[in-house]
Amino acid sequence: RQLIHADDLAAVGAADAQAQRTGVLSSTQFRIVQPDGAIRWVARRGKVHYDTTGRPVLVAGVLIDVTAQTLAEEALSKSEKLYRAIGESIDYGVWVCDAEGRNTYASEPFLRLLGLTQQQCSETGWMGLLHPADMAATMEAWRECVRSGGNWYRDHRFRGADGEYHAVLAKGVAIRDYNGRIAGWAGIN
């Protein structure tokens, strides 16, 4: 217990107490402070064994160093927050689509312009707001972009929350995974 980070002692203690009551040491993640001051993240889980009188005598389980995974998750979360903040701070429409071309994120300024929620936009609600004269060609061009993995560059009009049509130039690029496969698109309106 002397190696457990002070901020994690209460949670570890609560998990230990629950394990003695239930017989199961649920997965618990916490920090340990090494003698040199370095902090490592560990995860543990196990099972409590009792003697014939029902008194806990042994906890058998595993303790796994999850420092690399935890630091990677923290870095990803920090990066996501940074890019979301950038997207929200500019008065343009920043957007992200998945590999199938479905919208997974649209920045607040774009959603406000169209009068949509993120969920509505993700459920292709933006398509219904295209100007009728632009709809067929825009949809066909987007399907071709998704099929070919090309970049997106399109000038079209959207009906805004104010009921007026607004000319929007949309640009986007394919995001590829480490194997070169399309993982999605990111762009700006």
Side-chain angles (χ1 to χ4, degrees), residues 129-136 157 165:
L129 298 177
L130 286 167
H131 190 283
D134 299 341
M135 188 177 292
R157 294 164 287 176
Y165 280 95

Side-chain angles (χ1 to χ4, degrees), residues 75-170:
L76 181 62
S77 175
K78 185 177 180 181
S79 175
E80 182 178 307
K81 288 176 184 173
L82 170 67
Y83 285 105
R84 186 170 296 267
I86 291 169
E88 300 303 327
S89 69
I90 56 177
D91 204 20
Y92 293 98
V94 177
W95 54 269
V96 177
C97 290
D98 64 15
E100 287 76 41
R102 288 184 303 266
N103 180 270
T104 58
Y105 169 76
S107 63
E108 198 57 40
F110 188 63
L111 294 173
R112 273 194 314 273
L113 172 70
L114 300 182
L116 294 176
T117 66
Q118 180 62 64
Q119 182 177 351
Q120 290 168 324
C121 191
S122 294
E123 293 170 351
T124 63
W126 63 271
M127 292 176 194
L129 298 177
L130 286 167
H131 190 283
D134 299 341
M135 188 177 292
T138 297
M139 296 312 302
E140 180 55 37
W142 180 243
R143 281 191 287 275
E144 176 58 23
C145 181
V146 171
R147 187 197 65 70
S148 69
N151 290 335
W152 179 245
Y153 187 86
R154 188 84 185 169
D155 193 3
H156 46 236
R157 294 164 287 176
F158 283 105
R159 187 180 68 245
D162 60 3
E164 300 293 321
Y165 280 95
H166 301 271
V168 173
L169 173 62

